[in-house]
Structure formats: C-alpha cells, structure tokens
Amino acid sequence: MEYTVPRRGAAVVSAWPAGLGAVLSLPFWKNNAAFTLSALLLWAAVCFGILAPRLSSCVLRVGGHHLTLRRGLLFPVTRRIPLRFVTGCHILQSPLQRMTGTCVLALYSSGVTTVAPGLRRADAEALAALLTQGGRML
Amino acid sequence: MKGRRFHIIFTLRYLRYGLLLCLVPMLRALVEFDLDSLWLALTQDAAILLASAAAALVLWHATSFAWQEGAVQVSQGVVLRQSQTFSRQSIAALEIVRPLSCRLLGASRVTLYFRANAAPRRYTLYLKKRDAAAVAEALLPVCTENAVFEPTGFERLAFIMLSANILTSSLFALWGVRQADELLDGDFGRRAAQTLREAALFVARFLPAGFALLLTLGFAVTGFTFLVALVHTAGFQVCRSGGVIVSRGGFVTHIERRIFAACVSACDTCVSPAARLLRRYPVYLAAGSYRGGDLPVLVYKKGEERAVRRLLPAFSPPDGPLCAPARKSPVQYLWQPGALLALSLAVCGVASFAMPQLLPMLAVPVLLALCSLLVSLEGLFREGFCKNGSRTLSVCFTRFFTRHEVCVLTPDIAYTITENPFSVSGGRCDLRVHLPCGVRYRVRGVLRYLAQEIPFAP
C-alpha cells in the first residue's frame, strides 16, 4: 500500500510558515517597508518553492513488517518503523485543511514520532485504522 | 492492597512552585525600591508560602499508594481523583535514590521507568525507606545476589576514572560554592578564587603565565571530579538475580538501580580517551525509557567481553566487518576537525608574530583539534553497523572524543536514512538508529543498499 501527499495538502502546510513570517514582519513595515517586503517575498518563495515540493514528494509505504516514509528530492530522508511497535496515530486538521480534504498525520512509535503533513484525510484514516485496529474503521 | 501515604518530603515538590511565585512581589519591590514596598512584598511572600504549604499538605494527604505482588497503585487528586496502576510487565527499570537530605529524614525517591514510550515515560514516588524497598521487591524482585562486578584495587581506580564526569562535577562545584557563600554568609567563592590564583602564581615560576593558570584550573577541576566520582562510586556492586540486574553504590547519595534484563534495549561500550589509556571499557545499559544513568553498569578489560556476557548473555560483538572504508568519503569525516585545526594553526601563526607569550596557551586548541582529527580518522575506518546472527545489531560510531560500540538487543527500533547528492552518487547514506528511550545513534557513510536491507524481525 502506498500513500502520497497531494500538492494542495503540501501548499496548505507550506502556508503556515509563510503566514508566520508575515506576522513576524509586522513590526518592521513602519521603518523599512521595501526591505521587509523583499524579505517577505523571499521567505514566501522559500516556503512555496522549496518546502512545498519537498512535502509533496512525501511517500508512505506500508510493507509486510514495516512502514517506510520517504521525503525530499535533492536531500532525501527515509524513515522505517516496525509496524508492530506503532503505538498510536494522531490526525490533525485546520479549517483550511478541512476545506481541501487534507490533514497532518502523526505516527507514534517507541522512541520516535513521525509526521506526514498534507496527507489526504481519507488516506490518513485508512492508514490509522490499518495500524491501530487491523484495518477496521471506527 | 494496603493504602499508605507518601513521605512528607513529597510536599517540597509543590513548595518549590510557591518559592517561584514569591519572586513576583520581590520584583515589584525591586522596581519601586522603598521600605514600604519591601514590607508589603515580604508579607505577600509569607502569605504565598503559607498558601502553597497548605495546598501541598492537602495534596499530600490526598495522595496514597498501595502495592501487592507485581503491581503498584497510586491514587491522587483532591477534586478530581485519579488512580494509576503500574504492573511489573510495564516496567523496564526502577531507581531508588537516597541523597543525604532524604537519608536524614528517612525518605527515598523511587523512579519507575516504563517499557513503552507512552505517557508517562517515568513516574517518581517519594516514599519511606521501608516502603521503597517493599515496592522495589514487589515490582522487580531479587532472589539471591551474586556479585558480577565489584571493583577493587586497580579496577576500582579505573572505575572511578571512567565514571568521572568533568561537566557535571564542575557545575556541582560552582553550585556548591554559591550555596556555601549563602549559607555561611562568607566570601567562600572569593577565597577559593584567591587560592587558585596563588597556586597559579606558584606554577607560573616554572611555566608561562597563561598556561600556568590553565594547568592549575585543569588540575583543580580534575581533582574535584575524581573526588566526586570516588564518593559517588563507593561500595559499588552489580549483581544479577532472577532476570534482574541490580546495581548499588554511593557514599553520600545511595543509589540502587534495578533493570529488567529482558527489557535491555542496548548495551553501549564507550571507548573514551581515559578508557584507551587504562585499557578498560565502561558499559552503559538502556532499557525501555531508561537511558543508562550517570554510572556505567560494568567496566571490563580490553578483550574480555565475556564479562559483559556474564551480566547480559544476549550481548554479542559484531559478527563481521562493520564498514567498507574504501567506499566512504574522507571529506565527510575530516572537514570539521580539519577546518578547526587549520583555524587554530592560523591563530598560532598570527600569535607567533604579534603576541609570542600567548603561544603556549594557543597550543591547547591545536592539540584538541588534532585529537578530534584523529578520532574522526578512526571513525572513517571503524564507523558502521552489522546485523548479527544472534538477532542483534552492532553499531559503531564516534561522538566528540569517544567511540561508541553498541549492541542493540531489541527489534523495537526505527531507522532514518539521510542522503545528499554526493552520497547518492557514491551509493552511501547516513543512518540514524532510534531507540525506545529516545536516544539515537548516527552512523555516517554507510552503504545505501545495506541500510535499506536491515530486516525487521516479524
């Protein structure tokens, strides 16, 4: 089984650091508007040009005994967790994510927490059911 | 089950919050800076302390615990009552700590470390001495105690040297000086600094001035560190009985640790510079959420791994070679210490023209950078991992000046593989192994196809 992160889900998650940058830049608008605007645009470019493609490259594979999460294009990171030691799942949804049908999935296993941001809600629910209740949906 | 109360020392835990609250009126008094504000702040502080003491007493009265064979139940809460039961099956390690203050009052601090990473990861109880012993026996019982490791003679000296921690001892010394200043209302700190300065002046007769101060300071810190280690490891003994590893020791602070052998997740052998000199290696155990504590569980002589097997039969050295150095990138290992060495040498070069008297002092960072370069070079040839036939994983990595040789005994581990364009072209990657206690080991430059094929036990 393989789950991927849609572009809209990655874009919504990338909008969070972009929004945070906009809020943090508020005190600087008064003194140096041109510099603040250029810095903000650069930050937005980083968020939507680098972070969003990185997040949308995330692939979750469920094998026979382990779960593999691969993320990143230029600097790929692969994480493998034994399925029988997954202790819990957590699904988070912001209002914008509810509109786009995406969510953030956190998987807990002993020693490490794995986060898959921007996953489809239906995929996340199916995966959570598979990992915690043997595939039975509540 | 028979319900019992915690020791009254439990209330101190809540009084600390009251003391922190007392700072707020004092800050206000400091801003206004007059006698009326000071009097008001003192009155408010007294009221806060009385209120927090009353709240702590009520909480203490509402908290109780009970034990039976294989389980401990703790009930607490005034308005919302909650009851937690900790069974033997959920516990990986248990620690009983009795610092001097607790010993004077007949109390013990018992910390339970759990197997899984679920909340809480650990739980602390403040009990009477007899109750603490009974709880330990109920959860991790010990039948007969046969000492596996009891250092004497040179072994004891090696154990002291290998368990000494310069950083914590220095912090402890600074804290001690400050406390002595406050309690004795004297200039203890100033006198200590004066003594150190006089000693440095004496050493400066034979050595250059800056280097003499550095040497004196290093000698004082090392001496104090060894003194702390000597007191901390007095009467140290490790036994194994009925599947439980028990370690006891300490002169001022008594510490007893009980580790369930079946829950041991990793066995870490630290090859530090002191260990290389003494040819004795300290071994630390991790079990469940227990990370290994401040003392090694065992120190064994080079080549005598069977001493570890006596304590932990599942321990196994690596079956085969851990890495292929020819496939590794030397730049990845050597750029950091190399850059540090080049920088230190450049500073020395400038100092040889501008301030030649500082040269002996500047030789210290050069020496440290050189040692770091040597350790990284060793990492280039030794760092790696190997899956053993006995279903264990051997991991070797270097961190600071120490080489860690770890035998991972649990299948409950996660891996992270990190790559970059250069390592992808060379078929390499960096591997991180995550243990249940939250500790992670980083191995650099391992072969990608080997890292990908690490099997998880079904």
Side-chain angles (χ1 to χ4, degrees):
Chain A
M1 254 179 288
E2 193 171 296
Y3 303 95
T4 52
V5 172
R7 282 188 184 174
R8 59 176 191 280
V12 170
V13 176
S14 306
W16 295 345
L20 185 71
V23 170
L24 289 176
S25 70
L26 283 176
F28 304 101
W29 281 99
K30 207 173 179 181
N31 295 332
N32 201 340
F35 177 75
T36 311
L37 182 66
S38 53
L40 196 59
L41 284 175
L42 185 71
W43 177 240
V46 168
C47 289
F48 291 104
I50 296 174
L51 183 65
R54 184 174 170 81
L55 292 179
S56 63
S57 70
C58 177
V59 180
L60 257 161
R61 266 189 215 104
V62 184
H65 303 299
H66 59 267
L67 181 142
T68 309
L69 182 138
R70 189 179 162 87
R71 181 191 299 156
L73 301 167
L74 208 58
F75 296 92
V77 174
T78 312
R79 177 169 286 176
R80 300 180 81 202
I81 312 162
L83 282 181
R84 64 181 176 138
F85 294 113
V86 172
T87 52
C89 300
H90 204 163
I91 296 173
L92 296 164
Q93 261 192 316
S94 68
L96 206 58
Q97 282 180 320
R98 274 201 291 276
M99 285 165 68
T100 53
T102 58
C103 66
V104 175
L105 173 73
L107 293 171
Y108 301 101
S109 61
S110 40
V112 69
T113 302
T114 308
V115 181
L119 210 64
R120 281 186 198 90
R121 168 85 194 192
D123 286 352
E125 278 179 352
L127 186 62
L130 179 76
L131 294 177
T132 54
Q133 301 139 33
R136 278 180 286 111
M137 303 281 272
L138 285 176
Chain B
M1 285 195 190
K2 188 185 168 193
R4 292 181 70 87
R5 283 201 206 298
F6 278 19
H7 194 275
I8 190 78
I9 208 166
F10 169 73
T11 53
L12 288 180
R13 200 173 161 186
Y14 294 97
L15 274 177
R16 279 185 299 191
Y17 302 122
L19 283 173
L20 275 177
L21 266 179
C22 286
L23 289 176
V24 180
M26 289 312 277
L27 276 176
R28 249 183 68 189
L30 201 70
V31 171
E32 301 201 356
F33 214 75
D34 56 19
L35 272 176
D36 290 341
S37 310
L38 180 69
W39 178 247
L40 184 68
L42 286 174
T43 324
Q44 286 171 340
D45 279 354
I48 288 171
L49 275 179
L50 277 175
S52 54
L57 276 174
V58 169
L59 275 170
W60 170 73
H61 195 260
T63 307
S64 67
F65 76 100
W67 76 88
Q68 63 178 16
E69 190 64 30
V72 170
Q73 191 179 48
V74 181
S75 305
Q76 56 188 349
V78 181
V79 182
L80 287 172
R81 295 284 297 169
Q82 61 167 337
S83 175
Q84 287 170 291
T85 306
F86 306 119
S87 66
R88 184 184 295 167
Q89 286 76 22
S90 68
I91 287 163
L94 180 146
E95 187 181 65
I96 302 174
V97 182
R98 303 192 71 223
L100 191 62
S101 52
C102 283
R103 281 168 63 194
L104 289 172
L105 297 167
S108 297
R109 193 176 69 223
V110 181
T111 310
L112 309 176
Y113 294 90
F114 300 105
R115 281 189 192 196
N117 195 17
R121 291 184 68 175
R122 59 183 184 184
Y123 193 87
T124 305
L125 306 109
Y126 294 87
L127 308 179
K128 288 167 192 154
K129 187 186 171 187
R130 197 181 298 167
D131 290 345
V135 165
E137 276 304 311
L139 292 176
L140 295 177
V142 176
C143 314
T144 51
E145 296 187 3
N146 301 318
V148 177
F149 177 65
E150 196 173 5
T152 49
F154 181 72
E155 294 294 328
R156 168 108 175 91
L157 184 71
F159 186 68
I160 290 168
M161 289 181 78
L162 293 174
S163 55
N165 188 328
I166 276 195
L167 198 69
T168 51
S169 302
S170 307
L171 287 175
F172 178 67
L174 285 175
W175 177 80
V177 166
R178 198 164 287 178
Q179 289 291 312
D181 267 352
E182 279 175 20
L183 286 175
L184 304 175
D185 201 22
D187 48 357
F188 190 76
R190 197 182 59 79
R191 277 187 198 170
Q194 180 66 29
T195 313
L196 202 68
R197 216 171 291 130
E198 280 170 12
L201 278 174
F202 176 73
V203 179
R205 289 182 187 178
F206 315 103
L207 292 170
F211 192 61
L213 182 66
L214 212 65
L215 194 79
T216 315
L217 198 66
F219 189 74
V221 168
T222 315
F224 183 76
T225 304
F226 285 153
L227 187 71
V228 169
L230 178 76
V231 172
H232 204 53
T233 58
F236 188 80
Q237 190 191 43
V238 179
C239 321
R240 186 182 160 129
S241 159
V244 179
I245 297 167
V246 187
S247 70
R248 286 194 192 96
F251 180 66
V252 180
T253 302
H254 285 186
I255 301 175
E256 179 180 328
R257 292 187 176 113
R258 295 185 181 201
I259 304 166
F260 195 36
C263 291
V264 173
S265 50
C267 178
D268 183 4
T269 307
C270 297
V271 187
S272 59
R276 284 171 214 268
L277 285 174
L278 297 164
R279 296 172 72 81
R280 302 282 192 284
Y281 302 139
V283 176
Y284 293 85
L285 296 183
S289 58
Y290 174 70
R291 290 185 170 208
D294 52 348
L295 283 181
V297 78
L298 181 78
V299 170
Y300 72 92
K301 200 176 174 184
K302 188 182 179 183
E304 287 187 3
E305 280 83 10
R306 65 174 186 278
V308 187
R309 273 205 211 99
R310 274 214 308 270
L311 191 70
L312 209 65
F315 171 83
S316 68
D319 279 354
L322 292 165
C323 64
R327 297 282 303 273
K328 286 187 177 181
S329 160
V331 178
Q332 188 189 12
Y333 283 88
L334 305 179
W335 78 268
Q336 278 175 332
L340 203 66
L341 183 65
L343 189 73
S344 326
L345 284 173
V347 171
C348 273
V350 172
S352 64
F353 293 109
M355 285 180 282
Q357 69 274 19
L358 278 182
L359 267 179
M361 225 165 93
L362 290 174
V364 176
V366 174
L367 203 69
L368 287 177
L370 201 66
C371 291
S372 172
L373 190 76
L374 287 175
V375 172
S376 296
L377 206 63
E378 187 191 34
L380 177 66
F381 291 102
R382 302 287 287 268
E383 251 186 40
F385 73 95
C386 162
K387 189 87 184 168
N388 300 321
S390 56
R391 297 170 75 87
T392 58
L393 182 79
S394 292
V395 179
C396 179
F397 66 99
T398 54
R399 190 184 284 167
F400 300 115
F401 297 107
T402 304
R403 187 177 83 235
H404 295 262
E405 289 173 2
V406 187
C407 178
V408 180
L409 302 155
T410 175
D412 183 8
I413 43 174
Y415 301 90
T416 306
I417 295 167
T418 322
E419 292 165 278
N420 59 51
F422 303 108
S423 68
V424 168
S425 65
R428 299 181 303 270
C429 65
D430 289 355
L431 177 76
R432 285 185 176 82
V433 180
H434 304 264
L435 286 189
C437 58
V439 170
R440 64 180 183 187
Y441 306 129
R442 190 187 69 153
V443 190
R444 294 169 288 180
V446 300
L447 293 174
R448 177 75 170 86
Y449 77 93
L450 283 178
Q452 217 168 3
E453 283 176 4
I454 299 173
F456 286 106

